[in-house]
Amino acid sequence: MTTYRADHVGSFLRPPELLEARTDHAEGRIGEAALREAEDQATLTILDLQRQTGVDVYSDGEYRRGMWITGLPAAVEGFGPGAMLNIRNWRGRPLPYVPGQTGTRHAAAAGQNPPAVIIGKLRPKHRITGVESAFLGRHAGGPFKITIPSPAWYLRGYVKGTSDRVYPSAADALRDLTGIVHEEVKALVEERVPYVQIDSIRYVFDYTDEQRRHEWQELGIDPGLAIDENIAADNAVIDGVAREGVTFGLHMCRGNNRSRWFAEGGYDRIAEKAFGQLHYDRFLLEYDSERAGGFAPLRFVPKGKTVVLGLISTKASPLEAQDDLLRRIDEAAKYVPVADLALSPQCGFASVAAGNEISWDDQRKKLELLVDTARKVWPR
């Protein structure tokens, strides 16, 4: 297992040319081949930026996706249109923005919400990330990561009256989907992908935010039992695959759509169970604001596992003061040895294609700060 000190969550701002191509494709002006060519060229551009800034691991920026979750349902038969569980509840709440952000919708948002209600038997149609891993294998020129949504996220797509016509329970659907994601992870490991990251945001998105926990309880769902189900699914995704030469990371966050956030609450409620039972090598944790709480829950992280501190915001333009970052790393080191820490932005720069409301230059400066700070704390 490699320790990547200057890490990132995976998604990056799309160049204007790619946003235009995605809009043209959604509106029928260009075909699949032209969109794929635009994705290829944009990926080469973001790889070059990552090399220039010196991050320790590369990604394709999730440039082939309209949203962080779109690749999986597009690759799996059995998903269809409809209102996902609890969507109406959280859409009815005010959607907070970072001060100064507009949250305006972008034309490239077309298609960012995939059909993800379970309407039929879940079966793989094609590889989830095969195109991404093959292109990075040829062009990255260094260690790279592939990100995959946790199958547990799609329990929101189990809708009574529709999904239960195929699966008697949500657990039955989750079992099939977990098996599909497990086979994808196995294929990535066989391709010698060096870093596989599962984006599993429900731990803090659904189970720590008090209002959201209440909403789930009103729907008859026990958040405590749901955490156990989440942990079991995330472990099943990677259990039984060869671990030599590959790093498995798990990312948690509270929402990151056009500089918006959707939940708040520290890790205290889930720390002992999640950090103690998850079989991952490193945890990428959001820590850029007071909404994430303090570092004390990190005391439950087993020795030898890496905590990637997401101290740099991707939601707002102002550049963090390096002295503040160094101070916060020292604070976290009271609970996790500094040798078991790393640094990253709190989330991706573009969880949806339109991206957060910061500039390309802001993104570069954030990455440069990330690398410079990491080198000061962990010299090579």
Side-chain angles (χ1 to χ4, degrees), residues 298-322:
L298 299 182
R299 69 188 185 276
F300 293 111
V301 176
K303 185 177 180 180
K305 295 200 174 190
T306 300
V307 173
V308 185
L309 299 171
L311 300 177
I312 298 172
S313 175
T314 64
K315 290 181 169 69
S317 300
L319 199 62
E320 289 76 5
Q322 188 173 74

Side-chain angles (χ1 to χ4, degrees), residues 198 234-235 237-238 248-250 278-282 305:
I198 301 299
D234 287 338
N235 282 339
V237 161
I238 64 171
F248 289 112
L250 185 139
L278 285 164
H279 300 164
Y280 287 75
D281 303 311
R282 58 202 279 128
K305 295 200 174 190

Side-chain angles (χ1 to χ4, degrees), residues 42-161:
T43 301
L44 295 175
T45 298
I46 196 59
L47 284 172
D48 189 48
L49 176 63
Q50 291 171 83
R51 293 188 200 100
Q52 291 173 19
T53 56
V55 296
D56 291 341
V57 60
Y58 308 140
S59 83
D60 68 352
E62 299 181 359
Y63 280 5
R64 303 185 192 280
R65 310 181 196 181
M67 188 179 184
W68 68 282
I69 62 169
T70 52
L72 193 154
V76 176
E77 178 185 331
F79 285 111
M84 295 178 73
L85 182 64
N86 201 42
I87 287 292
R88 284 187 295 273
N89 284 349
W90 67 256
R91 277 187 178 166
R93 298 169 59 185
L95 300 180
Y97 292 86
V98 174
Q101 308 301 302
T102 68
T104 54
R105 188 171 177 82
H106 191 286
Q112 74 178 26
N113 295 316
V117 170
I118 299 168
I119 63 171
K121 187 73 172 176
L122 298 173
R123 301 183 181 91
K125 295 189 292 186
H126 52 74
R127 287 281 306 278
I128 301 170
T129 62
V131 173
E132 297 173 7
S133 62
F135 191 87
L136 285 170
R138 294 193 302 271
H139 297 285
F144 63 91
K145 67 164 61 176
I146 294 292
T147 64
I148 307 175
S150 166
W153 174 258
Y154 298 91
L155 287 181
R156 289 167 170 268
Y158 186 87
V159 178
K160 290 183 179 180

Side-chain angles (χ1 to χ4, degrees), residues 199-231:
D199 293 319
S200 191
I201 73 173
R202 295 193 69 196
Y203 295 104
V204 290
F205 192 91
D206 283 332
Y207 309 142
T208 64
D209 183 287
E210 285 298 332
Q211 184 170 343
R212 196 175 295 276
R213 284 175 59 85
H214 179 67
E215 290 170 355
W216 283 115
Q217 289 166 343
E218 286 186 331
L219 290 169
I221 296 172
D222 182 342
L225 295 177
I227 293 174
D228 294 335
E229 190 172 45
N230 215 136
I231 291 171

Side-chain angles (χ1 to χ4, degrees), residues 312 319-320 322 325 365-373:
I312 298 172
L319 199 62
E320 289 76 5
Q322 188 173 74
L325 297 179
K365 290 176 179 176
K366 299 264 184 177
L367 293 176
E368 290 172 343
L369 175 64
L370 162 69
V371 172
D372 187 58
T373 305

